[in-house]
Amino acid sequence: MDETRDQSGSVRQETPPMTGSADVDADGDPEPRPGEASETKLSHRIDLPVAGTSVGILAAFVALALIIPDTMSSWVGTAFTACANIFGMYWQILLLATFLVALVLIFTPWAKARLGNQARPDFKRFSWVAMIMMTLLAAGGVFWAAAEPMYHYATTPPYFTDDGGSAVDAVAAALATSFIDWGFLAWAILGSLGAIVMMRAAEKGMPLRPRSLLYPVLGKRAATGPIAAIVDVVCIISVAAGTIGPVGFLGMQVSYGLHSLFGIPDVYGVQLVVIAVLTAIAGVSVFSGVSRGIRFLSSANVWIALALMAAVLALGSAWFVIKSYFSGFALYMTDFFSMTLYRGDTEWLSGWTVFFFGWFLGYAPLMAIFVARISKGRTVRDLLISTTVLPPIATTFWFAVLGGTGIFLEQKSAGSISGPLSDGGLPAAVMAISDNLPLSLIISIGFLILTMTFVATTTDSMSFAMSQSCMTSGEPSPKLRATWALLIGVTAAVLISLGDGGVDALQSAIVITAVPVGFVMLPSLFAAPVYVRQMAKEQNLV
């Protein structure tokens, strides 16, 4: 281990990068080491079977969706229902256990250990947290935040009605249910324990790929063989489905918004243009490197979101939102365990909580790769607080601002938000909220811009993670990352030609792929505390 320690035991010099095969430049892009053959072809470092199989499965899915859309939708729907019913409880327990383990680790003395054998972080705290938050929140940060609380307000979730009636405030119940879906558990599975295991495995010479999550069980054998390849392919397909879906929704949402604001026809051609612009933004970001592209987009997202939150609070009812947030969060906390483990209405759960848990679980392995890539030099406590505590609090407040304002406007004028939501679906909710506020044109344009930059961030960061999952060594080139970003955009464009059905089928498919991913993430639950303790001992912290 190439490191020196001062008298306190702190690491002063870092070991070679986690990927173990190439140094990185200031932008986080690979550079050959002195003495290495700089002409080494990228194709020699790409795992062609994994990359080819992943692209082939996506292509087959799209082809079947185009050729036999109704049959394909029926197959996916049947498999989705079966997976949600059989594995839903397991996912609920797994996410809850992951959160609890992460929470306990924060308060241990081991949490002072630094990750990646690096003395200083690569990114400043604001940029680092922004990159973590925007990568996930982008998946539905605008349209779900506006729509889900309104759905639960219009129809009280069965958890609160199973006893034949409930005295719980409808607004608090709507927000608390949304918080269960997007709160602590969602964030805990995305980059906390998994990222710790990923970094520890990388320190031991394992690749920065999903297969390394099996290192606690298989050791170095996890690096090769058919099981390793299957794990990589399943995880790539899972996150591809979870990313392509929001891109498709984006095309529909922005097209709907342009029609509402400027009368531009809400047609497939406009949706294609939106997706092309989004893909171009992600492509420019890809070629800027991780340190510039994703960091810039994430920071911009934060500032735009803060400005929009302030505007919505000022133009709507700040008092109603704040009061509703605290009442909803209090209900979320008091009923946290019973709401998390609720199994009373499995049909409802498969459309809401279990669906979201499966979605986030599908993201987890590649989010672990991305978080590990940007978190070297951070302490374990930094990582856990910044993935498990701070983002969920910010996310729940964001949901309260958008969703709570929608409920406030609905109370003032019945049907003003629920009507468009019922008629136009998810894309209509945020536009209806904007339309019922002063300065509606400015607010609407702001949300359209934020939606695009949100999803561009996810496309960029997940194209990095998918590309990294296809590498036998080193980090992926910008060209490979841009190829995955382009594939995401093209697939979304093809699927939305089928209308909502194509994108919905892909969204349901992520829950199916979450079944094996759920078992890939299981070793992290037990291994992360062991590895954190080992790191603390190695760094003379305990």
Side-chain angles (χ1 to χ4, degrees), residues 197-198 201 206 209-223 227-232 516-517 519-524 531:
V197 170
M198 187 71 70
M206 294 289 292
R209 304 174 71 179
R211 61 183 66 189
S212 293
L213 291 168
L214 297 182
Y215 176 74
V217 178
L218 301 178
K220 291 293 183 69
R221 290 176 298 167
I227 294 178
I230 291 170
V231 167
D232 288 345
V517 173
F519 295 102
V520 172
M521 295 303 297
L522 182 60
S524 300
Y531 291 162

Side-chain angles (χ1 to χ4, degrees), residues 23-31 122-123 131 284-296 370 373-374 376 460 464 468 475-478 481:
D23 293 325
V24 294
D25 61 21
D27 297 327
D29 296 320
E31 288 185 343
D122 292 331
F123 301 96
M131 285 190 285
V284 171
S285 178
V286 160
F287 281 98
S288 299
V290 174
S291 296
R292 292 195 186 117
I294 298 176
R295 181 174 63 178
F296 173 79
F370 179 70
R373 168 62 181 79
I374 66 174
K376 290 183 291 182
D460 189 358
F464 168 82
Q468 184 67 65
E475 287 197 348
S477 72
R481 292 169 55 197

Side-chain angles (χ1 to χ4, degrees), residues 243-254:
T243 306
I244 292 166
V247 172
F249 278 130
L250 168 76
M252 297 177 182
Q253 180 173 345
V254 175

Side-chain angles (χ1 to χ4, degrees), residues 156-213:
T156 304
Y159 172 82
F160 297 103
T161 59
D162 276 356
D163 59 0
S166 176
V168 175
D169 177 67
V171 179
L175 291 176
T177 305
S178 302
F179 296 168
I180 282 288
D181 294 345
W182 290 82
F184 292 113
L185 302 190
W187 283 99
I189 199 66
L190 291 162
S192 58
L193 305 185
I196 292 171
V197 170
M198 187 71 70
M199 262 193 271
R200 186 60 173 174
E203 290 175 14
K204 300 299 182 181
M206 294 289 292
L208 204 62
R209 304 174 71 179
R211 61 183 66 189
S212 293
L213 291 168

Side-chain angles (χ1 to χ4, degrees), residues 522-534:
L522 182 60
S524 300
L525 189 65
F526 308 100
V530 175
Y531 291 162
V532 171
R533 185 170 181 271
Q534 289 176 357

